[in-house]
Amino acid sequence: MAGCSDKLPTTVKQVAATKGLIAFWDFENTEDHVWQSYYDETIIKRSFPIYLRQIGDNNRYGVGDWPYIDENSKLKIDNTGPFGKSVRFNQGYIYGEIPREEFNETLLDLKGTKPFTMIAWVKFSGNRHMVAGIWDEGGWDRYAGRRQAALFAGLFNQKGVIAHVSSTGAASFPQSDIDGSQYARLRAIDGKAFENEEWVSIAMTYDPENKLVSAYLNGTLTPYSIADPVTQDVMQNKTIPMANPFKFGTPIFSPTSFQLKYNGYDYRNSPIKEHWLWVDLENDNIQYRQVGKQSDEKFRVTFDIFRRQTSILDEPVISDVSDGKLLYLALKNHIQVGDIINTTLEKLNGDVWEKVGLEIEKEVQMGAPFTFGRALGLDEDGLDHGSVNIFIDGVAIFNRVLSSAELKELSFKENR
């Protein structure tokens, strides 16, 4: 538990001593007036800094030089939480950020099939949205966004813990055109609501071995089922699926390895509900997948990557595909931020290949920062978006799936 001293509260030392700790911020541990994290030296060798930010201001600030003193933006501290010093975050007026360059490709980069647990000790005073995580919502474009994983409370007309994950980074079901299809929809929703003005421990776990995302309130998972309208529109499920725990069988988005779903086809009257590619720019390949019943229809994909309107592939991919087919990319140049992916889906009609749905263009982007109290990518919504007056007393991330017993012990509810 690097960085701990004997003078710290017992609660802080208990979290910091828990095996597999990637980072734990108690908003007391500072270096040069910037909040730093405790960590397990057996798995990671460094701390991660949190800076204070405001939407519209490109500067990052430490605790001592935050310049805003208006009521919405000023730095407020609450000493009633389990660790003794919580910070008020408020929409886009004051939020926390770990810059992407500080954690890219480290254990804090929650992506792929790496198991993790995230816990936050919070008290809400207003409307609820994001608490902590990597979640750039991208302005609601079907293929924009850099979502990975984040803890929420209050979405989907709920007042409980929500564990949000994404494989696309953008819309979960871009093929749908109903209201809400512009959003990410893959989430675990805990079945127990909690009130404002109450200190709670909220947590999420990602278990890739069992393909589950789970949400916990004070260490307890309350099972829950709910029909999501967008998911239902596409998948036409005959039974309501579980929302907690939530079945999640694909890896988590990263900027170089992600799911790219086609759209614009008639999924409602087709046995195939989804056509998508797993785009792996780290290993220079793509894999075509289908979701739904088997079909005798024949499909092919085209795929290319452009830089300044010139292809960077030796040859564009044009290939017949069936579910699971892997295709390799022959690149003339390494992938760069700003490159444009272009792909289409086609179906054989007699002897003619006809385009199915819409041509897709997606820009290769840098990964998103890790933020506290505010999801990014919504600057057009201004300052008044996100969690209102949320006090965060601590956030901890582990490189393993903590048990319910461990989460209950770390909730510190019995001692309060």
Side-chain angles (χ1 to χ4, degrees), residues 299-300 345-350 352-357:
F299 295 94
R300 77 176 184 183
L345 176 69
E346 299 177 345
K347 182 171 67 174
L348 188 62
N349 185 4
V352 179
W353 288 103
E354 296 179 345
K355 188 166 68 173
V356 177

Side-chain angles (χ1 to χ4, degrees), residues 52 55 113 136 191 239 295 300 340 410:
L52 287 171
I55 295 295
T113 54
D136 179 342
T239 59
S295 169
R300 77 176 184 183
I340 302 296
L410 293 177

Side-chain angles (χ1 to χ4, degrees), residues 161 163 187-193 201-207 212-225 242-247 401-408 411:
V161 184
R187 73 288 176 269
I189 303 175
D190 189 60
K192 185 173 177 60
S201 167
I202 66 175
M204 66 180 291
T205 62
Y206 169 50
D207 180 353
L212 291 176
V213 174
S214 303
Y216 294 81
L217 175 64
N218 297 322
T220 297
L221 182 155
T222 301
Y224 191 54
S225 296
M242 288 295 295
N244 199 28
F246 177 71
K247 200 72 175 177
V401 177
L402 270 63
S403 67
S404 179
E406 289 177 299
L407 291 171
K408 285 178 182 177
S411 73

